[in-house]
Amino acid sequence: MRSRYSAFVRQDATYLVDTHHPSTRAADLAQGLAQTFSATRWIALRVVGSGMDPADPDRGWVEFSAFHESGQIHERSRFARRDGIWMYLDGVHLGALALDRNGPCPCHSGRKWKKCHGAQGA
């Protein structure tokens, strides 16, 4: 999950396509990614939890929240191992994580959320 987040930050559509499982990969995935790259500035990733499918050691999940300047994506993603490589299958979007306005900003600036990215309406 962290490598895919880094690829979003670096705007590396090739890596994102290559790590998206072929069974769920849209034909126009690279084009769709390219359209979203310029509109999103990522600020932090928080992994909430992860686990394996008890019935299949080649399947697992990661729950995360990826913060960007105008909000966050909170998702539980499913992954499958194919030829030794973990590939993204799909995900279910969850409600946004509640952030304490007086707590630290997820971007690790050392500032309070309300004085940093929270002030931008995120």
Side-chain angles (χ1 to χ4, degrees), residues 17-80:
V17 170
D18 289 348
T19 59
H20 197 119
H21 200 279
S23 68
T24 58
R25 184 187 309 148
D28 62 348
L29 178 60
Q31 180 182 4
L33 289 166
Q35 291 174 348
T36 64
F37 284 154
S38 63
T40 309
R41 183 165 178 265
W42 299 99
I43 60 172
L45 172 69
R46 181 180 296 169
V47 175
V48 178
S50 64
M52 301 296 295
D53 182 337
D56 185 349
D58 288 325
R59 297 219 175 221
W61 60 271
V62 175
E63 180 182 341
F64 69 92
S65 191
F67 297 88
H68 52 88
E69 286 191 331
S70 58
Q72 65 176 285
I73 296 173
H74 182 197
E75 181 176 302
R76 185 174 175 133
S77 301
R78 293 186 320 135
F79 291 85

Side-chain angles (χ1 to χ4, degrees), residues 4-26:
R4 286 183 54 82
Y5 171 78
S6 295
F8 274 102
V9 171
R10 291 188 326 269
Q11 301 184 3
D12 186 351
T14 300
Y15 181 83
L16 292 166
V17 170
D18 289 348
T19 59
H20 197 119
H21 200 279
S23 68
T24 58
R25 184 187 309 148

